[in-house]
Amino acid sequence: MRLIEVEKMPIDIKKAINERVSTRSFQEKSLTDADKTKLMEFNNTLNNPFDVNVKVQYISKEQGADSVKLGTYGTIKGAKDYLALTVKDEPYAMEAVGYQFENLILYATEMGIGTVWLAATFSRKDFEKAMDICDDDLFPCICPVGYSSEKRSIIEKFTRASLGSKKRKAWGDLFYNTDFTQLLTKSDAGKYVEALEMLRLAPSSTNGQPWAVIKEGETFHFFCNYKNSISEDMKKIKHLDIGIALSHFHQTLLSDGLEGKFENIDTEFDVPEEMHYVISFVGSK
């Protein structure tokens, strides 16, 4: 696998991360042509550190998909437009989807467009009828896009309450110093504290935050926590979540002027059985 450099986002990344919320109640109208064009033109500029081709397709109930039922099992109200993501099944495919599409979501946030990651609560068969998709494509998620409704639906209120949408794990549950036996303090994080905090705020499936990060000098090792993970499909979703977290971490570093690169590294410390190594980021001294 070839790891490549990714450019800094042309937005205030920390502001977008803090303002992004999962929107499930939308005004019943499509994006304006201007907003759709701006969003999709920016999408065409995006890539990911893993050099994986992530395909984003725009589906609109009002423009070409009006005869197709786009099922979200009642979890989404009012949405007319969706973005559907496909990728070939290859190493780091899910991390690539998470990283690249989260950058688009953060850009949409700055534009005032509402979004939400959906990895389970939608009918794949319904959406595939309106998509260009191959038999060997992975179709991990969709994202409704539109303008948020001022009034949240009862289902949205229930979903946000049940998932604890605003809750995030504490530092001591996510970040470690040198190995898995020592917790990382904010003081020890030094110049990387903002990037780690933005990572901590990253959204994830059922708000599970399945990542762990070890700081070893200027290097950060990222792990995926397989605890309570049973199926291969669930593991894929966890790796997508890792990609979202990597987007927050890396783009914050770039916005702070901190350089470095992603690498695969053989770690020498003991790793708990449930922890699966993903990638490392080596910062410049």
Side-chain angles (χ1 to χ4, degrees), residues 1-9 45-52 99-100 103 250-251 254 258-263 281-282 284:
M1 180 202 65
R2 187 171 73 103
L3 293 165
I4 64 173
E5 293 186 3
V6 175
E7 293 185 357
K8 180 177 70 171
M9 291 274 286
T45 71
L46 292 173
N47 60 355
N48 57 81
F50 312 102
D51 198 26
V52 170
Y99 183 103
Q100 184 169 320
N103 285 355
H250 187 218
Q251 286 297 325
L254 294 177
L258 300 176
E259 299 181 350
K261 60 182 178 179
F262 287 102
E263 294 184 13
F281 182 85
V282 182
S284 299

Side-chain angles (χ1 to χ4, degrees), residues 28-47:
E28 293 192 13
K29 62 180 181 180
S30 287
L31 293 182
T32 65
D33 289 342
D35 278 350
K36 175 185 174 181
T37 297
K38 182 178 180 180
L39 184 67
M40 297 312 290
E41 285 183 350
F42 183 71
N43 171 70
N44 293 336
T45 71
L46 292 173
N47 60 355

